[in-house]
Structure formats: structure tokens, C-alpha cells
Amino acid sequence: MKHYLSVIIVLVGLLVSMPAKAQRFLQFGLKGGVNVASLSFSGDMMKGSNRTGFFVGPMAELTIPVIGIGLEVSALYNQVGAEADFYVNERTNIDQTLKTIEIPVNLKWTFGAGKTLGAYLLAGPQFGFNVGHGSFTESFRLKDRYTTFNVGAGVKLVQHLQVGVNYNFGLGSLSKATVENYEGVIKMKKNGWQVSLAYMF
């Protein structure tokens, strides 16, 4: 975690210190899309299912000229379903809606054929803040803050539109619990795919 923050601070410092001519490559926009998320659990008492949701929010992108490397930062409201089967004596289905604010900080490499068409690759940490239901079950109390990681790719069209897809996986547990009649601690993580559309001003 400290290593990620150190890299981000250095990159932001480099980008902010660029000359005014280069700063015209700073863009702002709106980003939204759909996600398909699933929960994974340690142990064999719980099994997660895929559920769909949505995300939306502002984004900023700063690209270094010529080499096409830059930084993309967003602040996204994310809402997604979370479902799991719980096996203790009998099968129990648990279905909740997770509401979070997600702040992805991605390194982004853009390349292409001119100003009207391009492609990009991205990767970076994503910091999540729980703003919805405080617990998944009586046993699983959700963390207020957690960290995940993004890897993805996409295309840029006519300078304003960006269409992308990325996979987001947990770096740590979203929640953990000690369950009766089970030895050890059960940890819960959230992973998922996201398909996004962004409009840059």
C-alpha cells in the first residue's frame, strides 16, 4: 500500500510540474458503465454468485505528450448486487446491495493512429469507501475502506469518447468473520468486470 502511494505521489508531482504547453493535455469528463461482480470466500461454507450493477462519476486524465503515458483518476459511485449461498446445516441464500465510492488511480498508456482513433492500456490501485449497508450478514461486518487493483484496455474515438473494459480484483478482504461450527476465519473479497463509457470535454 505504501509503495502504491509513493508511486502515485511521484507521478502526480511530475505531471503537475509539466510546462503550461503540455498541460493542455489535461482533460475532464464523465464516466459511467455496468459491472459484473462476484464475491469469493476462503473456506467452503460460502459460495458467491455473479451480480450486475452500475457506476458513474467524474474523471480526469493527464497525458504526457509524445510518449502517451499519463494518469487517470476518477471518483465513482458504485452500486452492485452481492449474493452468496451459505452452508451451515442447511442452505441459506444471502442477497445484499453494496454501495461504495471508488477512486481508481490508473497509469494509462495511449497509442493510436492520429487524433480521431486510439487505444489504451491501464493499470493501477483503486480505493473503495463503503457508503451503504454496514454488513453483509450478521457475521460479516463490511470494512469502511478497502483496496483493489485494476487492469484494463479500451479505445478512444473522435477525441471525446472512450470505451473500455477492465478487471478489478481485491488486494485484501472486504470483510471477515468467525462463524459458529467452523474452524478459522472466513474472508470475503469482491472481484469483477467493468465495461465503461466516458465523455471527455
Side-chain angles (χ1 to χ4, degrees):
M1 180 70 174
K2 292 182 179 179
H3 296 296
Y4 291 132
L5 291 176
S6 299
V7 172
I8 292 168
I9 290 171
V10 170
L11 289 171
V12 170
L14 290 173
L15 293 173
V16 170
S17 64
M18 291 191 312
K21 182 179 179 180
Q23 290 181 8
R24 70 176 184 268
F25 292 92
L26 174 65
Q27 287 185 292
F28 296 93
L30 291 175
K31 185 175 186 179
V34 296
N35 50 39
V36 179
S38 65
L39 300 178
S40 61
F41 300 88
S42 59
D44 55 3
M45 290 184 65
M46 303 188 76
K47 183 178 180 181
S49 302
N50 292 338
R51 293 294 305 275
T52 59
F54 70 91
F55 58 93
V56 63
M59 66 172 286
E61 178 182 303
L62 185 56
T63 305
I64 300 175
V66 183
I67 60 175
I69 294 178
L71 195 66
E72 178 192 299
V73 181
S74 305
L76 306 172
Y77 172 76
N78 192 323
Q79 181 171 310
V80 65
E83 184 177 11
D85 290 324
F86 190 23
Y87 299 93
V88 179
N89 299 325
E90 61 180 12
R91 178 180 177 273
T92 301
N93 181 261
I94 303 166
D95 193 347
Q96 297 282 4
T97 299
L98 302 181
K99 300 176 182 179
T100 59
I101 299 296
E102 308 283 351
I103 302 178
V105 182
N106 293 313
L107 278 177
K108 195 171 186 179
W109 177 42
T110 301
F111 53 94
K115 296 182 178 180
T116 59
L117 179 63
Y120 65 82
L121 300 173
L122 61 79
Q126 179 167 294
F127 307 99
F129 303 87
N130 180 31
V131 296
H133 202 275
S135 62
F136 182 63
T137 68
E138 292 183 0
S139 299
F140 282 87
R141 180 72 183 176
L142 297 177
K143 291 182 178 180
D144 293 331
R145 299 178 298 274
Y146 58 93
T147 306
T148 57
F149 197 86
N150 282 316
V151 290
V155 293
K156 294 184 175 183
L157 306 170
V158 294
Q159 293 186 306
H160 294 289
L161 293 178
Q162 299 186 14
V163 181
V165 59
N166 67 278
Y167 184 72
N168 180 265
F169 58 91
L171 295 178
S173 61
L174 178 62
S175 178
K176 59 184 179 180
T178 302
V179 180
E180 187 178 356
N181 300 325
Y182 182 84
E183 294 184 2
V185 175
I186 300 177
K187 296 181 180 181
M188 180 174 75
K189 290 185 178 182
K190 180 170 69 74
N191 310 297
W193 290 94
Q194 294 181 327
V195 178
S196 64
L197 175 65
Y199 183 85
M200 308 305 293
F201 300 106

